[in-house]
DNA sequence: TATGAATGAGCATTCATTCAT
DNA sequence: CATGAATGAATGCTCATTCAT
């Protein structure tokens, strides 16, 4: 019970941090801001996270697993891939990048300052994983005759760049037709 | 002569600011860092820029004109566009985005925190201009039979997103084969 | 208990500020000086006062109420005024102005730079109140035959000027005979 | 000729300093402000005054001589003093204090912070001279039967205090009836 | 656990002063 | 002489972090 309560506060703080780091960057965001956004006293922040850097690290690295899960689920279904399934997968990626606004802003913030944040390493690893996954898809797709001849590596680089850049194009909520535009364009990167 | 000397220092400071804002963001970058990087005393920074925010604003907005120039030169040659010319143009864009590492990082930093920085407005305008330019190319290309049927708007959104995201993929110097990968992928966004 | 402790520190800071602003003026007095004089760290000053200007404003305006109280108590007893009571009143004023050295220096500092400090307004109001009070005394005194014919307004202006100027005459502690000199002279302003 | 030109600039700077020191105090007044007010470049200020402190010292001490002259002229005529002459003298003092607004504000600024400014000494000396002069008048006046019995010392202290305090009562230009009020009240301090 | 008062390192900025032109 | 670019000491203020309650 107490544990639940604690976890609840931890999560409030976590999400407050994620939101504010995303909106204002690391230095501009104060522990006080986070505490206020989370609805706790700022002393409480230090009860759950050793310091500001630790909270930031949590914000950058903890969501990665869910991300990994979500992005890579399809890996197993790859044997039975069809054109429609591939289109769905790409659509899911786009939707996912559109939804996770705060997290993606934080990620881009870190990637944009690679010498500044140690968390960069973890993100580099994830990018490698993701590109490998895409390369696997392209190869399988070509083998099955679903995709035209392509360089799997080139597609993987281009596709990840595209997904990241997409997120930079929106201030406000992404509108549906823009999402569709991105889905269509993304397919072109696969030669479709 | 004295004027030249002044402008020289102003430029040293400008470039130091651009580099450090790109690498460490706005808040983490101190006037002292900038002065040291520029090889002047920190008081001198205030001789040329009213305050830190003004220097940042200069770093974000001043290069835009050169950018505009560089990106849009081709506009006039559009009448006589050929497939090869279009490929060259895309190649130039990629090369340009690869070269201007510091400036693009700063741009992305601002775009990533749109509520924080007023400079966002100017960047939004530029993005609109750039997309219009791309749409013009796509229409002309389709008219001339160079490009397959496409939605000019979709291409323009996708292409800009791609260019922006590309820049997020590199910490170190872009290696040639990656640049080529990006060029090829970029052409796919035009249906090529 | 904790509340008391807080108020105690606030008061220490307040008195340190009052003393140092009186002795060295606003700009010359640093937050550090005040903190040292108050026996707290300088960060603590900002726990109790939003900034230097707010502390100064407090030093200028907060004592006014006590002042008002002290100076005007006699108002009610005015019905039964006698020559002796009036002499006592004037004596009290003199003593009061002699005692409140720091506060009066701060007041004069503000009055001397009326365009610089917004606090001037509040002091102008108080001066008006005080002169009204004196005019009332003079009128009552003349009605009762205690005071010779006088212009109440002239007396009120002269008396306030005299009280203010008096405070400018001392660096060190006012010696008794000087205090007496002032009391006698003050009475002359009332025609006594 | 060159000398004249120089002296003219020196005076411009001097009066600019006097005005600004009077209005904003020592620390708040910048060399730049003074230069702008004087219509010269700020470097020029250092051509005529070694540094800011030296200019301030000049502003405090140099006018004293004229002051001394003006205030004490009457000394010689004291043999043939009459009631009318004494009234005229007091009137002149009041007028003089009313006119020299800037200088008197500076004086009071220094007197109000006696531990801060070395110039205080010179002012103390002048105050002594002035009080001696007043005491002389009172004695002579009593001898000649012009003035009622008074303590010359008390009168001198009260009168100087009154003159100083008077100057604190005005923000704007003194209006005539206030000046008269002060003249009348001043005479009361002499027992008139 | 939760709180927030106390602390002081760190930073932007101001401004007197120097000195080359 | 006049100028103003260059300098860096000094200062107000912010904010992460500690710790007593």
């Amino acid at each position: 019970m107490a544990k639940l309560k604690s976890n609840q506060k931890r999560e409030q703080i976590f999400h407050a941090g994620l939101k504010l780091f995303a909106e204002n960057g690391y230095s501009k965001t104060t522990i006080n801001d986070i505490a206020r956004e989370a609805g706790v006293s700022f002393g409480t922040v230090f009860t759950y996270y050793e310091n500001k850097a630790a909270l930031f690290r949590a914000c950058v690295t903890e969501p990665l697993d869910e991300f990994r899960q979500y992005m890579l689920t399809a890996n197993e279904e790859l044997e039975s891939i069809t054109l429609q399934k591939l289109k769905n997968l790409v659509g899911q990626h786009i939707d996912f990048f559109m939804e996770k606004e705060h997290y993606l802003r934080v990620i881009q913030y870190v990637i944009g300052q690679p010498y500044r944040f140690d968390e960069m390493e973890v993100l580099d690893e994830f990018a490698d994983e993701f590109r490998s996954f895409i390369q696997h898809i392209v190869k399988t797709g070509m083998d099955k005759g679903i995709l035209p001849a392509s360089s799997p590596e080139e597609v993987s680089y281009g596709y990840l760049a595209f997904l990241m850049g997409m997120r930079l194009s929106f201030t406000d909520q992404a509108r549906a037709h823009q999402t569709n535009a991105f889905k269509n364009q993304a397919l072109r990167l696969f030669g479709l």
Side-chain angles (χ1 to χ4, degrees), chain A residues 45-191:
Chain A
V45 174
F46 290 96
T47 304
Y48 293 97
Y49 294 92
E50 198 187 342
N51 52 32
K52 191 182 174 182
L55 172 55
F56 186 71
R57 194 173 317 119
C59 288
V60 173
T61 58
E62 284 183 10
L64 262 193
D65 279 338
E66 187 205 352
F67 223 75
R68 208 169 248 129
Q69 211 64 41
Y70 191 98
M71 300 300 277
L72 308 183
T73 319
N75 219 351
E76 342 171 319
E77 309 174 17
L78 221 55
E79 304 309 315
S80 59
I81 192 105
T82 64
L83 182 59
Q84 192 50 47
K85 279 188 178 174
L86 192 144
K87 287 186 177 177
N88 287 344
L89 190 65
V90 168
Q92 278 173 30
H93 289 170
I94 305 282
D95 289 338
F96 194 77
F97 269 74
M98 285 303 194
E99 274 171 32
K100 303 287 180 184
E101 182 180 358
H102 289 154
Y103 183 58
L104 270 153
R105 285 205 189 284
V106 172
I107 293 302
Q108 293 184 334
Y109 179 82
V110 172
I111 295 178
Q113 302 172 68
Y115 301 131
R116 180 178 175 192
F117 295 107
D118 293 341
E119 288 80 6
M120 190 57 207
E121 276 183 40
V122 194
L123 298 182
D124 267 339
E125 282 169 25
F126 180 75
D128 284 343
E129 285 175 44
F130 185 73
R131 277 189 298 253
S132 293
F133 166 62
I134 297 300
Q135 286 169 30
H136 190 136
I137 290 181
V138 173
K139 280 174 200 157
T140 311
M142 287 194 295
D143 285 350
K144 303 224 171 194
I146 295 169
L147 293 177
S150 299
S151 156
E153 199 192 2
E154 288 190 1
V155 174
S156 72
Y157 269 95
Y159 183 56
L160 181 54
F162 180 81
L163 286 173
M164 296 299 283
M166 207 181 62
R167 184 59 267 174
L168 278 172
S169 305
F170 295 100
T171 301
D172 44 19
Q173 309 308 341
R175 277 151 298 167
H177 84 278
Q178 279 173 321
T179 303
N180 275 328
F182 284 124
K183 286 181 182 173
N184 291 333
Q185 286 301 103
L187 291 176
R188 282 193 156 175
L189 290 172
F190 286 89

